[in-house]
Amino acid sequence: MISTEAYKTVNEEAVTTWFKAAPVNAFPSNGGTCVQYKGKQIAVFNFSRRNEWYACQNLCPHKMQMILSRGLIGTHQEEPKVACPFHKKSFSLKTGECINGDECSLATYPVKIKDEHVYIGFKE
């Protein structure tokens, strides 16, 4: 059974490993892609309209499906968000908080761009 327990938010100050995910051009503009790191599926978003990058768990906490990288990204009151394509719940890409008022939230991870590659921060 799939569980959200493997996914914990990592703040940039706590990063011990920067995982080199892929070249920048491997990610769609204003969209997401899933990458794997040690058995975890991580959704990475190139929010090019805002010139920002985000990473969060790919697992929807409601439907328990690996789907969020295929969600629609946008903004809600200036907050970058992703909407689950299954049930339209929206989550902040900064905090992982469910914007629709639900108790479930997502784990988020810091992202940095270096030498035209995308790196995701993890705490080992």
Side-chain angles (χ1 to χ4, degrees):
M1 179 171 178
I2 298 173
S3 170
T4 59
E5 291 180 19
Y7 299 95
K8 305 285 183 204
T9 291
V10 177
N11 296 318
E12 191 162 340
E13 302 79 36
V15 170
T16 57
T17 300
W18 285 100
F19 170 65
K20 188 176 184 179
V24 167
N25 61 9
F27 297 86
S29 180
N30 293 306
T33 298
C34 179
V35 300
Q36 288 199 346
Y37 177 75
K38 294 190 174 181
K40 298 176 187 170
Q41 289 192 25
I42 307 297
V44 180
F45 298 96
N46 174 8
F47 207 150
S48 56
R49 285 191 309 264
R50 296 172 58 116
N51 196 28
E52 297 170 346
W53 290 80
Y54 296 98
C56 65
Q57 67 188 56
N58 194 35
L59 178 65
C60 169
H62 295 101
K63 295 291 184 181
M64 302 305 281
Q65 297 289 320
M66 297 293 187
I67 192 69
L68 292 176
S69 63
R70 300 176 77 187
L72 293 174
I73 60 173
T75 57
H76 174 77
Q77 299 176 349
E78 301 302 318
E79 186 76 12
K81 67 170 187 165
V82 61
C84 176
F86 280 143
H87 60 30
K88 311 303 182 215
K89 291 283 187 184
S90 294
F91 301 91
S92 165
L93 288 170
K94 286 184 177 177
T95 66
E97 181 179 322
C98 183
I99 294 173
N100 303 70
D102 198 279
E103 297 151 13
C104 293
S105 61
L106 304 176
T108 59
Y109 304 89
V111 177
K112 71 177 182 181
I113 308 300
K114 183 178 177 185
D115 298 329
E116 294 298 312
H117 281 80
V118 177
Y119 290 80
I120 305 166
F122 293 96
K123 182 178 179 184
E124 297 294 322

